[in-house]
Amino acid sequence: MKYKNLIFDLDGTLWDPRLTIISIWNDVLQRHQLIQKDLKPEDMDPYMGLLAKDIVKDMIPGISDAEVQEILSQIVAQENKILRVKGGTLYSGVENTLKKLSETYKLFIVSNCQDGYIESFLEHYQFNEVFVDFESHGRTQKKKAENIKLIMERNHLLPENSVYIGDTQTDHDSAAANDLPFIFCRYGFGKLDNEGYTPSISKFPDLETCI
């Protein structure tokens, strides 16, 4: 066995939440008269995995920090509540593969999401027993690389037997900052600067062949 500990990104790696969250974003942004037409799920693609405040600032140039905070407080409250009930779209094979992997490996999640978002994911799919620990930007206000470090320190994980699995260049760079190997999910929302990067997977169950 090459690794003992598998640390996962969430959006674009384990699930696609766009169909669930897009109506929330549209409702809040329309209420504040900040968009003239509804966003489509695919309009969120460039933003998946980014910090929520950066998404709003990019969508609405010139918006004040105070208004960003007000909008996000409304979006976050709705997202966490609705995702806990409706969930998102799990990528094919995720549920069975995760449960199988958890019998041999220790599983973790580190995401740039808000506090409560990972909890909604875990509760909706009843994955609380599958994952050992998780960390988010919303809870710590730290960058992904720092949150990976926190997970590793808290759970006494070593770089030589751990790996980070994600779908963006930020994921790759955050793993590298912790001397962690990285497995790229080609089916997700992001791309890597190195288009021929390996190891990579085209569907989630292929992960078993990389670890």
Side-chain angles (χ1 to χ4, degrees):
M1 184 171 63
K2 191 174 181 182
Y3 303 114
K4 293 182 179 178
N5 312 298
L6 313 180
I7 311 171
F8 294 91
D9 172 51
L10 183 47
D11 293 345
T13 300
L14 300 177
W15 75 349
D16 176 355
R18 293 173 303 166
L19 285 174
T20 303
I21 68 172
I22 196 66
S23 60
I24 300 168
W25 281 74
N26 282 326
D27 177 60
V28 173
L29 293 176
Q30 289 280 17
R31 205 180 321 134
H32 286 263
Q33 299 181 329
L34 293 171
I35 54 173
Q36 296 183 354
K37 62 179 182 178
D38 281 351
L39 299 169
K40 299 176 181 178
E42 56 268 25
D43 292 331
M44 299 298 290
D45 288 8
Y47 302 118
M48 301 308 291
L50 300 182
L51 300 181
K53 63 184 172 98
D54 295 333
I55 296 173
V56 175
K57 286 182 177 181
D58 190 81
M59 280 184 176
I60 305 142
I63 189 171
S64 69
D65 288 343
E67 194 164 18
V68 168
Q69 289 304 315
E70 173 63 22
I71 288 166
L72 286 181
S73 68
Q74 296 176 26
I75 289 174
V76 164
Q78 287 296 311
E79 275 191 358
N80 290 348
K81 182 168 63 176
I82 291 176
L83 285 169
R84 187 172 277 107
V85 175
K86 292 186 175 181
T89 302
L90 280 184
Y91 289 113
S92 178
V94 163
E95 183 169 6
N96 289 338
T97 303
L98 284 178
K99 289 179 177 177
K100 183 177 178 182
L101 291 173
S102 69
E103 295 173 0
T104 306
Y105 305 89
K106 291 183 178 179
L107 310 186
F108 305 85
I109 298 176
V110 175
S111 171
N112 271 340
C113 60
Q114 70 261 18
D115 190 21
Y117 187 90
I118 298 175
E119 293 91 325
S120 295
F121 168 80
L122 296 176
E123 288 181 26
H124 180 78
Y125 295 105
Q126 299 181 348
F127 282 160
N128 282 296
E129 300 303 317
V130 174
F131 289 91
V132 175
D133 197 2
F134 61 86
E135 197 54 89
S136 67
H137 170 78
R139 191 158 69 175
T140 67
Q141 299 302 305
K142 296 179 182 293
K143 294 181 179 179
K144 180 167 281 188
E146 295 175 79
N147 284 329
I148 291 174
K149 183 179 179 181
L150 281 176
I151 279 283
M152 294 182 69
E153 290 177 344
R154 197 156 69 214
N155 293 278
H156 311 290
L157 310 185
L158 301 175
E160 54 264 34
N161 59 21
S162 306
V163 61
Y164 191 74
I165 300 147
D167 71 309
T168 67
Q169 186 66 41
T170 297
D171 292 337
H172 171 278
D173 295 346
S174 299
N178 288 281
D179 297 320
L180 277 178
F182 176 70
I183 298 174
F184 177 53
C185 300
R186 293 190 176 277
Y187 55 80
F189 299 115
K191 295 181 179 179
L192 296 186
D193 295 340
N194 176 5
E195 294 183 5
Y197 178 88
T198 57
S200 65
I201 56 174
S202 298
K203 55 184 186 298
F204 193 79
D206 290 346
L207 181 60
E208 293 185 69
T209 66
C210 295
I211 56 176

